[in-house]
Amino acid sequence: MVKTIAAVPTENGWKYLQQLCKHWSHKLDVELGEKSGIVRFSEAVATMSADDKALTVEIEAVSDEVLERMKNVVSSHLDRFAFREAPLPFEWQAA
């Protein structure tokens, strides 16, 4: 398994996290907690948390190829919900 993490500065992280989890809950296994969410894809897991300054996204995937694809999937979906401040500045770091 390979991992990456990004802390995205935004005051609306919790709102975006909720919207994304609700969006994906129709087709994927999603857990929405208090200020956090987990989305399970077939080959990856995205774990997100939010506070009043940032949205933190961690992705764990079965391969580098899947990890790269999932970084694009997650960031593009979040940018759709954050259209007023998109594109969000994702700076992915190895975890």
Side-chain angles (χ1 to χ4, degrees):
M1 298 293 274
V2 290
K3 286 184 184 181
T4 189
I5 192 167
V8 182
T10 178
E11 294 177 0
N12 300 304
W14 175 234
K15 176 182 165 184
Y16 302 149
L17 188 159
Q18 286 178 312
Q19 289 175 310
L20 189 58
C21 285
K22 288 177 185 176
H23 172 74
W24 275 332
S25 69
H26 301 287
K27 294 184 178 181
L28 300 167
D29 179 17
V30 174
E31 290 179 38
L32 184 59
E34 197 169 308
K35 301 290 183 183
S36 66
I38 300 171
V39 182
R40 290 178 181 83
F41 300 89
S42 62
E43 297 180 301
V45 175
T47 304
M48 299 169 283
S49 61
D51 59 28
D52 58 349
K53 295 180 181 167
L55 170 63
T56 301
V57 181
E58 182 176 316
I59 301 172
E60 185 174 15
V62 297
S63 68
D64 289 331
E65 180 184 320
V66 172
L67 187 67
E68 286 303 312
R69 187 172 75 239
M70 294 311 302
K71 285 171 24 179
N72 290 329
V73 167
V74 172
S75 62
S76 67
H77 275 76
L78 282 167
D79 277 344
R80 277 190 238 158
F81 293 118
F83 63 91
R84 286 185 182 91
E85 59 180 310
L88 294 172
F90 285 87
E91 291 187 24
W92 297 103
Q93 307 287 325

